[in-house]
């Protein structure tokens, strides 16, 4: 059985590398990382992932429109941000999960599994 595909959008190279490594080492397939919302959207349209982990701020823009598009197609979204609080995100996107940077790998994987199980 194919492993779930996780799309990663993160514009900080070290964070993106660590996040992708964490997800891949747990046996998931990673699409990305993408450092801007438009590249991530193109990838999403080519191959709908099972879940997305999105940094909110991507090279001067935000991932909100990308998240809305994904959630409209029932793709679970986890916002991974160091600048926006969980309360702010949940006010806009009650179904999205949030992780604050820096985040331990175990919590990332737990949140990914919970979001996949709930979808």
């Amino acid at each position: 059985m194919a492993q779930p595909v996780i799309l990663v959008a993160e514009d900080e190279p070290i964070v993106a590398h660590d996040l992708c490594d964490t997800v891949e080492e747990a046996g998931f397939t990673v699409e990305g990382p993408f450092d801007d919302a438009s590249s991530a959207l193109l990838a999403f349209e080519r191959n709908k992932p099972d879940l997305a982990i999105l940094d909110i701020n991507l090279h001067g823009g935000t991932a909100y429109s990308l998240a809305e598009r994904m959630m409209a197609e029932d793709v679970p979204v986890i916002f991974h941000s160091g600048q926006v609080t969980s309360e702010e995100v949940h006010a806009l996107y009650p179904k999205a999960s949030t992780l604050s940077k820096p985040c331990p790998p175990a919590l990332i994987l737990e949140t990914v599994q919970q979001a996949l199980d709930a979808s």
Side-chain angles (χ1 to χ4, degrees):
M1 185 172 198
Q3 290 297 321
V5 175
I6 312 295
L7 184 142
V8 174
E10 169 61 62
D11 64 352
E12 295 179 40
I14 293 172
V15 175
H17 176 74
D18 289 347
L19 185 57
C20 289
D21 281 353
T22 295
V23 173
E24 285 179 331
E25 288 171 7
F28 298 103
T29 300
V30 173
E31 180 79 18
F34 302 98
D35 63 0
D36 63 77
S38 60
S39 297
L41 180 60
L42 288 173
F44 172 77
E45 290 174 345
R46 278 193 314 268
N47 183 29
K48 184 176 155 184
D50 298 291
L51 180 138
I53 302 174
L54 309 176
D55 184 8
I56 292 174
N57 296 307
L58 296 168
H59 284 300
T62 69
Y64 289 132
S65 60
L66 174 61
E68 289 169 7
R69 173 70 192 280
M70 292 178 172
M71 287 186 276
E73 294 197 33
D74 297 322
V75 173
V77 170
I78 298 170
F79 287 109
H80 184 242
S81 178
Q83 300 173 342
V84 179
T85 67
S86 300
E87 293 79 21
E88 292 172 300
V89 171
H90 284 284
L92 295 170
Y93 306 102
K95 291 184 178 180
S97 299
T98 58
L99 293 170
S100 295
K101 294 179 194 175
C103 186
L107 182 56
I108 293 169
L109 296 175
E110 178 183 327
T111 305
V112 165
Q113 195 59 58
Q114 288 173 348
L116 288 171
D117 291 346
S119 65

